[in-house]
Amino acid sequence: MQLPTPDEIKQKRTELGLTQSDLAKRAGVSQPLIARIESGDVDPRLSTLRKIIEVFEDAEKEDILVVNIMNTEVISVSPEEQVDAAVQIMGRYHISQIPVISNGVPVGSISEEMIVRSLADKKKSMVSQMIIKEMMGDSFPTVSPKADIKVVSHILERNPAVLVLEKGQVVGVVTKHDVMQLLNE
């Protein structure tokens, strides 16, 4: 077994979002000791290193919250815009659906599928000039920033995205891609 260096301990602690005080409290040691270990001023006892490593392992198993993976830049359209604006945004960002948001509140969604379906019934010029609220579908499901990723994963099984609401206002979005990115970490 290779023991972690002071730099590795500090790096792991920061990756897990733990402060020195958090780590000290969970490991049952003092914060100044953690600071001294990380700076290389003191060689910790093996039992102290074991406690620190156990804290790291426990922290890695803790639930992942939506706030930690959500995109805070929510690409959206207004219900009053023309469908052509949604088509341009979808093309620019290489996305296939967009939430429709009015004054920070989700009111619907629009997708490539909805637009293509409309083109089967109407002329191209008529569809591009339509107002989004005339075509939009239901809004994406919503969760709070403190929702667990497991909840969001289940919602994403049947929906393309989940909006994150705080005090009734959209503050983020989570897609299937965002959840899959957890595998790269």
Side-chain angles (χ1 to χ4, degrees):
M1 173 174 124
Q2 184 178 348
L3 298 176
T5 66
D7 286 338
E8 290 171 339
I9 291 172
K10 182 176 183 176
Q11 180 181 354
K12 188 67 168 179
R13 177 184 59 76
T14 55
E15 281 175 11
L16 293 169
L18 297 170
T19 64
Q20 287 181 346
S21 296
D22 293 335
L23 178 56
K25 185 176 181 179
R26 289 181 179 201
V29 298
S30 69
Q31 181 274 324
L33 177 59
I34 297 295
R36 292 184 68 203
I37 291 170
E38 288 183 356
S39 68
D41 287 350
V42 66
D43 286 331
R45 296 191 332 206
L46 185 57
S47 60
T48 303
L49 276 178
R50 276 196 186 121
K51 290 177 187 176
I52 290 170
I53 291 169
E54 285 175 14
V55 169
F56 289 162
E57 289 171 350
D58 289 345
E60 286 175 334
K61 294 176 190 171
E62 289 177 356
D63 295 335
I64 299 169
L65 300 180
V66 168
V67 70
N68 297 323
I69 67 161
M70 72 180 187
N71 293 297
T72 55
E73 181 184 342
V74 180
I75 300 164
S76 65
V77 291
S78 160
E80 305 304 323
E81 290 182 80
Q82 292 181 334
V83 170
D84 190 46
V87 170
Q88 290 177 15
I89 291 170
M90 287 180 197
R92 183 177 325 128
Y93 292 99
H94 307 288
I95 54 179
S96 58
Q97 66 275 326
I98 306 175
V100 181
I101 297 176
S102 178
N103 298 318
V105 178
V107 294
S109 66
I110 188 163
S111 68
E112 289 175 340
E113 183 180 331
M114 292 172 196
I115 296 167
V116 169
R117 209 176 308 129
S118 291
L119 284 169
D121 300 333
K122 299 178 177 93
K123 291 183 178 179
K124 175 186 157 203
S125 60
M126 289 178 65
V127 172
S128 67
Q129 301 302 313
M130 284 178 71
I131 304 300
I132 289 173
K133 69 179 174 185
E134 296 171 356
M135 182 187 297
M136 70 183 185
D138 293 337
S139 179
F140 299 134
T142 62
V143 297
S144 89
K146 300 295 182 193
D148 185 88
I149 191 63
K150 294 172 194 154
V151 172
V152 172
S153 294
H154 288 299
I155 295 171
L156 287 171
E157 289 175 10
R158 291 186 173 81
N159 297 278
V162 176
L163 295 174
V164 183
L165 292 185
E166 191 166 48
K167 298 181 183 172
Q169 299 287 300
V170 175
V171 294
V173 63
V174 178
T175 64
K176 293 173 184 178
H177 178 76
D178 298 319
V179 174
M180 291 187 329
Q181 286 301 104
L182 291 171
L183 297 175
N184 291 331
E185 294 179 355

